[in-house]
Amino acid sequence: MSKTMTGAQMVIQALKDQGVDTIFGYPGGAVLPIYDEIFQQSDIKHILVRHEQGATHAAEGYARSTGKPGVVLVTSGPGATNAVTGMTDALMDSIPMVVLTGQVPTFMIGSDAFQEADTVGITRPCTKHNWLVKETDKLSETIHQAFHIATSGRPGPVLIDIPKDVQFATGTYTEKSKSKIDHYNPQRRGDLDAITELVELIEKAERPVLYTGGGVINSGNQASQLLRELVQETNFPITSTLMGLGSYPASGKNWLGMLGMHGTYEANLSMHGCDLLINIGARFDDRITGVLDKFSPHSKKAHIDIDASSINKVISVDIPILGDVACVLEDLLKIWKSRGNKTNSAKILDWWSQINKWRERKCLSYKNSDTIIKPQYALERLEFLTKDHPNRFITTEVGQHQMWAAQYLGFEDPHRWMTSGGLGTMGYGVPASVGVQVAHNDGLVINIAGEASWLMNMQEMGTCTQYNLPAKQFILNNERLGMVRQWQELLHGERYSNSWSESLPDFVKLAEAFGAKGIQCSDPKKLDDAIIEMLDYDGPVIFDCLVEKHENCFPMIPSGKAHNEMLMGDDKTENAIGSSGAVMV
Amino acid sequence: MNALTLKKGSSKKSAYNLKNTSSDILETHTLAVLVDNEAGVLARVIGLFSGRGYNIESLTVAETNHIDNLSRITIVTTGTPSVIIQIKAQLARMVAVHDVHDLTVEGPSVERELAMVKVVSSGESRVEALRTSEIFRASVVDTTLESFVFELTGTPEKIDAFVELMTPLGLVDVARTGVAAISRGL
């Protein structure tokens, strides 16, 4: 039986059929019919953000912490353009997201109408796919297709632009089960010959390393389970990108810590010295590889990825395996076990003794202080006081604090770490913490921030108080754009051009103005009590943690250098970056 | 600038061509891309090329399957072997793209382009232009006392050669369709 309804009703019906419980949005003229339908139902909760960019990052936080697609509803013109940053962020980090935008009525498109923008044109390069729906009859099927595309294959953001007259007009609703989605069906099973070839290398490898990424988390919890089994059974060392933290537990004995530009000494030297490198759901990003022609020079390389365009894009590999991480790992374990669970265990123990020597370098040690809070110390204390919480979620902004958080916090499970990796979007963390807290009522959600990033989307504190979301804002306040300042120190002769935060607000008063609690701490001896006060408070908190102003984030692979040319905290840093490295980002 | 004075392959001058190609040999490939015939699909494909800095030497598009609503885009592109592979992977993962065929590597194929060439001249040059057109089996589709419009079909190289010969004989304008290509045999 076909159902007839208005376009606006279709939107709500389709979202319900897709199992959507929450949408993040902001109303405006071109989406009023949809907002009218939202008003008349109670199955879907609408979270009113304070800025459309906030809606997209909140949806990302929701998606990353649940594994379900985040849904955004915004109006035409500025509503859509404000959502562009969040969509680009989701595209870079492969986050499933469905964005619904209002559009001026079809008969006004192209007339430079009020709040008109070429939304599908603007968002074409920052979505996985997008649609302008001109007929109400096609609207519901398009929404079902959109969810399918956002969540299958390599996940990503999609956008549906809905003109206002299409929302008002009546049409026939197409059920989810009757929507045509066959055409987009990326391959999930890996090629068994290639997997067998990899198994043969696993059996012989003397110095193997697993390099995992966000693809493990996107593939689902089963992928993380299989990865843990693989590590346990083979005793291979494992490192991860920023996006993959939590897929293997930080407390696991084979964990090397994060790799890359601010990765650990042991992880990066293992990458450099290995003879078998297995990339599982990562993409050889430039933050990971360092200078390409010196990247892991002695290894055979395998790459498991669901996106064919990721394979051989920057690093050419010996064994490309196109497929979903969970499917490939399942087959890989099956084949490996059927051949007798073999590894070159004696050589691997030698490899471990080498790695343990690198570990003794204690690359994350830093010089602490009795009088000033070191940012690393603040995060160590935060970790100590929150790590046993059964439901801890961490979001971050972008910069030094983000790297320190990745270094000093441990993640035991996937979906607990939400950060902007590929795009590096300052202003991501506050709205992301909103989205995570909405999805996890009882969760302890902490946004680790720098004061500069935090200010970029601080308006979402209003959302926090409106919905009584107790997310904690833990600001490492150094009154600097810390990472910019660090690069200026290393690269531009300590000429700190525009990298300090002047005229900062009083964060305690700011918290009170938003109806939240404000805490300030500058004394390392009082830090624990202050953090406990933050954790004990039942409501949103802004924690202004005044830290050392000129602390640098180490270890660091300077741009243009290789994994074995890391700068450590106690190294001299003058002229660390050559002229060829200086042009890189 | 007169488009006719540009040498073939001169799209290396594209502002988007930022790759260091000295380390590897440039190859020219003809890709046949089957896409949904929907609004904006050409913009998606072109946006991919401009956004990622790939070259387009020639591009043609038209609906070829009315029942399934599919269009065929024929793209001639230049790049190092790894770039060509990346272009194909990037195209193939687009939602609107059904199929990508590299006609250059998937066995023999036939490439044709149609050009209309306007020549304005008189006296010996005019006679010579007509004589040359016969050698190339071009047909005259329009004539005045001072001008011809020749229609010529062939490979891009044949059309290049014809244009080169016509240039001193009074060539004033060229319209080219870009390459259409199809694989040979079954």
PDB file of all heavy atoms in Angstrom, chain A residues 13 20 83 378 402 404:
ATOM      1  N   GLN A  13       9.150  10.744   8.317  1.00  0.00           N
ATOM      2  CA  GLN A  13       8.866   9.311   8.196  1.00  0.00           C
ATOM      3  C   GLN A  13      10.121   8.534   7.788  1.00  0.00           C
ATOM      4  O   GLN A  13      10.434   7.491   8.358  1.00  0.00           O
ATOM      5  CB  GLN A  13       7.753   9.092   7.158  1.00  0.00           C
ATOM      6  CG  GLN A  13       7.283   7.647   7.072  1.00  0.00           C
ATOM      7  CD  GLN A  13       6.709   7.154   8.396  1.00  0.00           C
ATOM      8  OE1 GLN A  13       5.901   7.843   9.028  1.00  0.00           O
ATOM      9  NE2 GLN A  13       7.134   5.975   8.838  1.00  0.00           N
ATOM     10  N   VAL A  20      16.486   6.853  13.104  1.00  0.00           N
ATOM     11  CA  VAL A  20      17.103   8.066  13.645  1.00  0.00           C
ATOM     12  C   VAL A  20      16.377   8.477  14.926  1.00  0.00           C
ATOM     13  O   VAL A  20      15.147   8.542  14.945  1.00  0.00           O
ATOM     14  CB  VAL A  20      17.032   9.204  12.606  1.00  0.00           C
ATOM     15  CG1 VAL A  20      17.503  10.525  13.210  1.00  0.00           C
ATOM     16  CG2 VAL A  20      17.857   8.851  11.384  1.00  0.00           C
ATOM     17  N   ALA A  83      27.522  24.854   7.220  1.00  0.00           N
ATOM     18  CA  ALA A  83      27.700  23.417   7.464  1.00  0.00           C
ATOM     19  C   ALA A  83      28.864  22.837   6.655  1.00  0.00           C
ATOM     20  O   ALA A  83      29.226  21.669   6.835  1.00  0.00           O
ATOM     21  CB  ALA A  83      26.413  22.668   7.128  1.00  0.00           C
ATOM     22  N   ALA A 378      48.888  17.957  33.530  1.00  0.00           N
ATOM     23  CA  ALA A 378      47.434  18.117  33.668  1.00  0.00           C
ATOM     24  C   ALA A 378      46.721  16.922  33.043  1.00  0.00           C
ATOM     25  O   ALA A 378      45.756  16.390  33.605  1.00  0.00           O
ATOM     26  CB  ALA A 378      46.993  19.415  33.003  1.00  0.00           C
ATOM     27  N   GLN A 402      45.668  18.538  21.624  1.00  0.00           N
ATOM     28  CA  GLN A 402      45.117  17.348  20.958  1.00  0.00           C
ATOM     29  C   GLN A 402      46.181  16.247  20.897  1.00  0.00           C
ATOM     30  O   GLN A 402      45.912  15.078  21.177  1.00  0.00           O
ATOM     31  CB  GLN A 402      44.678  17.760  19.549  1.00  0.00           C
ATOM     32  CG  GLN A 402      44.141  16.647  18.676  1.00  0.00           C
ATOM     33  CD  GLN A 402      43.996  17.098  17.221  1.00  0.00           C
ATOM     34  OE1 GLN A 402      44.726  17.991  16.753  1.00  0.00           O
ATOM     35  NE2 GLN A 402      43.055  16.522  16.514  1.00  0.00           N
ATOM     36  N   TRP A 404      48.888  16.054  22.834  1.00  0.00           N
ATOM     37  CA  TRP A 404      49.177  15.607  24.203  1.00  0.00           C
ATOM     38  C   TRP A 404      48.095  14.647  24.685  1.00  0.00           C
ATOM     39  O   TRP A 404      48.388  13.666  25.366  1.00  0.00           O
ATOM     40  CB  TRP A 404      49.289  16.817  25.140  1.00  0.00           C
ATOM     41  CG  TRP A 404      50.609  17.515  25.048  1.00  0.00           C
ATOM     42  CD1 TRP A 404      51.838  16.920  24.968  1.00  0.00           C
ATOM     43  CD2 TRP A 404      50.840  18.932  25.033  1.00  0.00           C
ATOM     44  NE1 TRP A 404      52.822  17.890  24.910  1.00  0.00           N
ATOM     45  CE2 TRP A 404      52.250  19.133  24.957  1.00  0.00           C
ATOM     46  CE3 TRP A 404      50.023  20.059  25.083  1.00  0.00           C
ATOM     47  CZ2 TRP A 404      52.825  20.401  24.926  1.00  0.00           C
ATOM     48  CZ3 TRP A 404      50.592  21.313  25.067  1.00  0.00           C
ATOM     49  CH2 TRP A 404      51.983  21.482  24.974  1.00  0.00           C
TER      50      TRP A 404
END
